[in-house]
Amino acid sequence: AQRVTQPEKLLSVFKGAPVELKCNYSYSGSPELFWYVQYSRQRLQLLLRHISRESIKGFTADLNKGETSFHLKKPFAQEEDSAMYYCALFIIQGAQKLVFGQGTRLTINP
Amino acid sequence: DGGITQSPKYLFRKEGQNVTLSCEQNLNHDAMYWYRQDPGQGLRLIYYSQIVNDFQKGDIAEGYSVSREKKESFPLTVTSAQKNPTAFYLCASSTAGTGDYGYTFGSGTRLTVV
Protein backbone atom coordinates (compact mmCIF):
# COMPACT_ATOMS: atom_id res chain seq x y z
CA ALA A 1 0.00 0.00 0.00
CA GLN A 2 1.13 3.54 -0.67
CA ARG A 3 1.72 5.36 2.57
CA VAL A 4 3.61 8.34 3.97
CA THR A 5 4.54 8.43 7.63
CA GLN A 6 5.70 11.44 9.62
CA PRO A 7 6.44 10.05 13.07
CA GLU A 8 6.55 13.39 14.90
CA LYS A 9 3.33 15.35 15.29
CA LEU A 10 5.16 18.14 17.14
CA LEU A 11 8.78 19.25 16.99
CA SER A 12 10.26 22.12 18.94
CA VAL A 13 13.82 23.45 18.55
CA PHE A 14 15.68 26.61 19.48
CA LYS A 15 16.58 29.28 16.98
CA GLY A 16 19.96 28.53 15.40
CA ALA A 17 19.76 24.81 16.12
CA PRO A 18 19.61 22.18 13.36
CA VAL A 19 16.22 20.88 12.31
CA GLU A 20 15.27 17.50 10.91
CA LEU A 21 11.68 16.55 10.09
CA LYS A 22 11.33 12.86 9.41
CA CYS A 23 9.40 11.28 6.56
CA ASN A 24 9.19 7.64 5.55
CA TYR A 25 7.25 6.22 2.65
CA SER A 26 5.93 2.93 1.33
CA TYR A 27 5.59 2.62 -2.44
CA SER A 28 6.32 -0.14 -4.92
CA GLY A 29 7.13 2.20 -7.80
CA SER A 30 9.77 4.86 -8.31
CA PRO A 31 8.92 7.54 -5.71
CA GLU A 32 8.33 11.19 -6.44
CA LEU A 33 8.41 13.02 -3.11
CA PHE A 34 7.60 16.53 -1.96
CA TRP A 35 7.55 18.70 1.12
CA TYR A 36 4.69 21.17 1.56
CA VAL A 37 4.52 23.90 4.20
CA GLN A 38 1.61 25.78 5.75
CA TYR A 39 2.50 28.96 7.61
CA SER A 40 0.01 30.47 10.02
CA ARG A 41 -3.00 31.89 8.16
CA GLN A 42 -1.48 31.08 4.78
CA ARG A 43 -2.21 28.52 2.10
CA LEU A 44 -0.50 25.20 1.88
CA GLN A 45 2.39 25.66 -0.54
CA LEU A 46 5.10 23.60 -2.13
CA LEU A 47 8.44 23.84 -0.32
CA LEU A 48 10.60 21.52 -2.38
CA ARG A 49 10.54 18.43 -4.59
CA HIS A 50 13.17 15.75 -4.66
CA ILE A 51 13.43 15.57 -8.46
CA SER A 52 14.76 19.12 -8.66
CA ARG A 53 17.30 18.63 -5.85
CA GLU A 54 16.83 22.26 -4.86
CA SER A 55 17.31 24.11 -1.60
CA ILE A 56 14.49 26.40 -0.58
CA LYS A 57 14.73 28.75 2.42
CA GLY A 58 17.79 26.79 3.53
CA PHE A 59 15.91 23.47 3.62
CA THR A 60 17.12 20.36 1.81
CA ALA A 61 15.79 16.83 1.57
CA ASP A 62 17.55 13.76 0.24
CA LEU A 63 15.75 10.71 -1.00
CA ASN A 64 17.15 7.55 0.57
CA LYS A 65 15.62 4.62 -1.29
CA GLY A 66 17.35 2.07 0.94
CA GLU A 67 15.73 3.50 4.07
CA THR A 68 12.61 4.69 2.16
CA SER A 69 13.04 8.11 3.72
CA PHE A 70 12.87 11.72 2.62
CA HIS A 71 13.81 13.71 5.72
CA LEU A 72 13.73 17.52 5.62
CA LYS A 73 16.75 19.28 7.08
CA LYS A 74 17.97 22.76 7.84
CA PRO A 75 21.29 23.48 9.57
CA PHE A 76 20.21 26.61 11.44
CA ALA A 77 16.54 27.11 12.31
CA GLN A 78 14.93 30.54 12.13
CA GLU A 79 11.79 31.73 13.90
CA GLU A 80 9.98 32.18 10.58
CA ASP A 81 10.36 28.45 9.97
CA SER A 82 7.60 27.78 12.49
CA ALA A 83 4.83 26.12 10.48
CA MET A 84 3.06 22.87 9.67
CA TYR A 85 5.08 20.64 7.35
CA TYR A 86 3.68 17.83 5.21
CA CYS A 87 5.60 15.18 3.33
CA ALA A 88 3.83 13.91 0.21
CA LEU A 89 4.25 11.04 -2.24
CA PHE A 90 3.09 11.34 -5.83
CA ILE A 91 1.37 8.17 -7.04
CA ILE A 92 1.97 7.60 -10.75
CA GLN A 93 0.54 4.10 -11.12
CA GLY A 94 -3.06 4.40 -12.24
CA ALA A 95 -4.55 7.82 -11.61
CA GLN A 96 -2.04 10.45 -10.55
CA LYS A 97 -2.52 11.83 -7.04
CA LEU A 98 -0.61 13.05 -4.01
CA VAL A 99 -0.69 11.10 -0.76
CA PHE A 100 0.18 13.15 2.32
CA GLY A 101 1.67 12.28 5.66
CA GLN A 102 0.04 13.30 8.93
CA GLY A 103 2.09 16.46 9.20
CA THR A 104 4.60 17.81 11.73
CA ARG A 105 4.10 21.09 13.52
CA LEU A 106 7.49 22.75 13.87
CA THR A 107 7.97 25.43 16.49
CA ILE A 108 11.16 27.46 16.65
CA ASN A 109 11.78 28.94 20.08
CA PRO A 110 13.69 32.24 20.39
CA ASP B 1 -4.07 37.18 -11.14
CA GLY B 2 -4.05 33.41 -11.57
CA GLY B 3 -5.04 31.18 -8.73
CA ILE B 4 -7.52 28.88 -7.09
CA THR B 5 -10.46 30.25 -5.13
CA GLN B 6 -12.52 28.46 -2.54
CA SER B 7 -15.76 29.80 -1.13
CA PRO B 8 -17.12 30.34 1.37
CA LYS B 9 -14.31 30.63 3.90
CA TYR B 10 -16.60 29.51 6.73
CA LEU B 11 -19.74 27.42 6.42
CA PHE B 12 -22.20 26.25 9.03
CA ARG B 13 -24.49 23.34 8.39
CA LYS B 14 -27.37 21.92 10.33
CA GLU B 15 -27.50 18.19 10.75
CA GLY B 16 -29.34 16.54 7.87
CA GLN B 17 -28.52 19.27 5.35
CA ASN B 18 -26.48 19.03 2.21
CA VAL B 19 -23.99 21.83 1.56
CA THR B 20 -21.84 22.61 -1.46
CA LEU B 21 -18.32 23.99 -1.31
CA SER B 22 -17.09 25.93 -4.32
CA CYS B 23 -13.65 25.60 -5.96
CA GLU B 24 -12.68 27.62 -9.03
CA GLN B 25 -9.30 27.90 -10.76
CA ASN B 26 -8.06 30.05 -13.62
CA LEU B 27 -4.70 28.32 -13.99
CA ASN B 28 -5.82 26.19 -16.93
CA HIS B 29 -5.02 23.11 -14.86
CA ASP B 30 -6.49 19.80 -16.01
CA ALA B 31 -6.57 18.08 -12.65
CA MET B 32 -8.42 19.11 -9.50
CA TYR B 33 -8.61 17.56 -6.06
CA TRP B 34 -10.51 17.78 -2.79
CA TYR B 35 -8.80 17.02 0.50
CA ARG B 36 -10.03 16.99 4.04
CA GLN B 37 -7.64 18.25 6.72
CA ASP B 38 -8.10 17.08 10.31
CA PRO B 39 -5.65 17.67 13.17
CA GLY B 40 -3.22 14.77 13.50
CA GLN B 41 -4.48 13.06 10.36
CA GLY B 42 -2.90 15.15 7.65
CA LEU B 43 -4.67 15.59 4.34
CA ARG B 44 -6.94 12.83 3.14
CA LEU B 45 -8.13 12.67 -0.46
CA ILE B 46 -11.89 12.80 -0.98
CA TYR B 47 -12.32 13.01 -4.77
CA TYR B 48 -10.18 13.94 -7.74
CA SER B 49 -10.68 14.71 -11.39
CA GLN B 50 -8.10 14.43 -14.14
CA ILE B 51 -10.28 15.84 -16.94
CA VAL B 52 -13.67 17.44 -17.46
CA ASN B 53 -16.69 15.16 -16.99
CA ASP B 54 -14.59 12.54 -15.20
CA PHE B 55 -13.76 12.05 -11.53
CA GLN B 56 -12.68 9.28 -9.17
CA LYS B 57 -13.21 8.49 -5.51
CA GLY B 58 -10.33 9.09 -3.17
CA ASP B 59 -9.70 7.42 0.16
CA ILE B 60 -12.67 8.90 2.06
CA ALA B 61 -15.39 9.53 -0.56
CA GLU B 62 -18.33 8.21 1.46
CA GLY B 63 -20.84 10.95 2.19
CA TYR B 64 -19.44 13.30 -0.47
CA SER B 65 -20.22 13.96 -4.13
CA VAL B 66 -18.60 16.08 -6.85
CA SER B 67 -19.10 17.23 -10.41
CA ARG B 68 -16.70 18.44 -13.10
CA GLU B 69 -18.77 20.05 -15.82
CA LYS B 70 -16.21 22.77 -16.53
CA LYS B 71 -12.44 22.70 -16.46
CA GLU B 72 -12.37 25.66 -14.07
CA SER B 73 -14.80 24.34 -11.48
CA PHE B 74 -14.90 21.34 -9.12
CA PRO B 75 -17.62 21.77 -6.48
CA LEU B 76 -17.86 19.42 -3.52
CA THR B 77 -21.19 18.52 -1.91
CA VAL B 78 -21.14 17.29 1.67
CA THR B 79 -24.26 15.21 2.05
CA SER B 80 -26.23 14.27 5.14
CA ALA B 81 -24.71 10.80 4.82
CA GLN B 82 -21.33 12.14 5.93
CA LYS B 83 -21.25 11.26 9.63
CA ASN B 84 -18.51 13.60 10.74
CA PRO B 85 -18.39 16.54 8.32
CA THR B 86 -16.88 19.16 10.61
CA ALA B 87 -13.43 19.74 9.13
CA PHE B 88 -11.24 21.99 7.02
CA TYR B 89 -11.61 21.31 3.29
CA LEU B 90 -8.87 22.07 0.79
CA CYS B 91 -9.16 22.17 -2.98
CA ALA B 92 -6.10 21.86 -5.21
CA SER B 93 -5.26 21.81 -8.89
CA SER B 94 -2.31 20.69 -10.98
CA THR B 95 -1.06 20.25 -14.52
CA ALA B 96 -1.27 16.49 -14.41
CA GLY B 97 1.04 14.48 -16.59
CA THR B 98 3.46 17.25 -17.52
CA GLY B 99 6.28 16.20 -15.20
CA ASP B 100 5.65 19.13 -12.87
CA TYR B 101 3.68 17.59 -10.04
CA GLY B 102 3.37 20.55 -7.72
CA TYR B 103 -0.15 21.29 -6.56
CA THR B 104 -1.66 24.74 -6.12
CA PHE B 105 -3.96 24.91 -3.11
CA GLY B 106 -6.90 27.10 -2.27
CA SER B 107 -7.24 28.87 1.05
CA GLY B 108 -9.76 26.34 2.32
CA THR B 109 -13.31 26.18 3.68
CA ARG B 110 -13.98 25.44 7.33
CA LEU B 111 -17.24 23.53 7.67
CA THR B 112 -18.94 23.26 11.04
CA VAL B 113 -22.04 21.25 11.81
CA VAL B 114 -24.30 23.00 14.33
Side-chain angles (χ1 to χ4, degrees):
Chain A
Q2 305 108 352
R3 185 167 54 245
V4 176
T5 303
Q6 293 177 250
E8 305 140 326
K9 285 188 178 179
L10 302 170
L11 183 63
S12 182
V13 302
F14 285 102
K15 178 181 173 181
V19 174
E20 182 178 58
L21 288 81
K22 291 184 167 50
C23 172
N24 290 89
Y25 67 91
S26 173
Y27 185 48
S28 57
S30 182
E32 298 288 350
L33 287 150
F34 303 80
W35 277 98
Y36 280 80
V37 61
Q38 190 171 29
Y39 300 104
S40 178
R41 289 187 291 277
Q42 291 189 30
R43 300 182 182 210
L44 190 64
Q45 57 187 285
L46 179 66
L47 180 61
L48 57 80
R49 66 201 81 183
H50 98 271
I51 55 174
S52 59
R53 303 184 67 81
E54 57 201 345
S55 173
I56 303 295
K57 299 185 179 184
F59 284 98
T60 59
D62 290 319
L63 176 62
N64 186 323
K65 291 186 177 181
E67 296 183 358
T68 60
S69 68
F70 188 56
H71 303 327
L72 184 68
K73 300 178 184 179
K74 185 170 183 176
F76 307 103
Q78 298 172 293
E79 288 186 64
E80 54 264 35
D81 295 330
S82 294
M84 193 75 180
Y85 290 81
Y86 291 97
C87 183
L89 168 69
F90 191 77
I91 306 299
I92 301 172
Q93 296 161 344
Q96 298 170 345
K97 56 183 180 180
L98 267 180
V99 174
F100 286 84
Q102 302 93 323
T104 298
R105 181 167 297 283
L106 175 65
T107 301
I108 308 301
N109 300 307
Chain B
D1 183 25
I4 183 165
T5 302
Q6 289 186 243
S7 62
K9 194 170 183 178
Y10 300 95
L11 186 58
F12 296 89
R13 188 195 95 170
K14 292 182 179 179
E15 288 200 29
Q17 278 185 337
N18 292 355
V19 290
T20 298
L21 284 61
S22 170
C23 179
E24 304 275 335
Q25 54 98 359
N26 60 5
L27 300 165
N28 200 33
H29 285 171
D30 293 306
M32 297 187 73
Y33 311 82
W34 274 106
Y35 286 87
R36 172 177 169 143
Q37 189 177 25
D38 295 285
Q41 298 195 55
L43 278 71
R44 293 181 291 166
L45 184 63
I46 304 172
Y47 267 98
Y48 60 102
S49 169
Q50 301 290 323
I51 56 172
V52 175
N53 291 322
D54 188 44
F55 49 82
Q56 289 81 39
K57 292 182 179 180
D59 301 316
I60 55 166
E62 185 175 352
Y64 300 97
S65 65
V66 293
S67 63
R68 186 84 188 277
E69 297 176 0
K70 298 187 299 182
K71 188 175 185 177
E72 303 80 20
S73 179
F74 192 42
L76 173 75
T77 297
V78 184
T79 74
S80 56
Q82 169 50 236
K83 299 305 178 190
N84 185 23
T86 294
F88 192 60
Y89 292 87
L90 282 172
C91 180
S93 67
S94 74
T95 52
T98 65
D100 176 3
Y101 303 126
Y103 283 18
T104 300
F105 281 88
S107 56
T109 293
R110 185 165 298 281
L111 173 63
T112 304
V113 174
V114 296

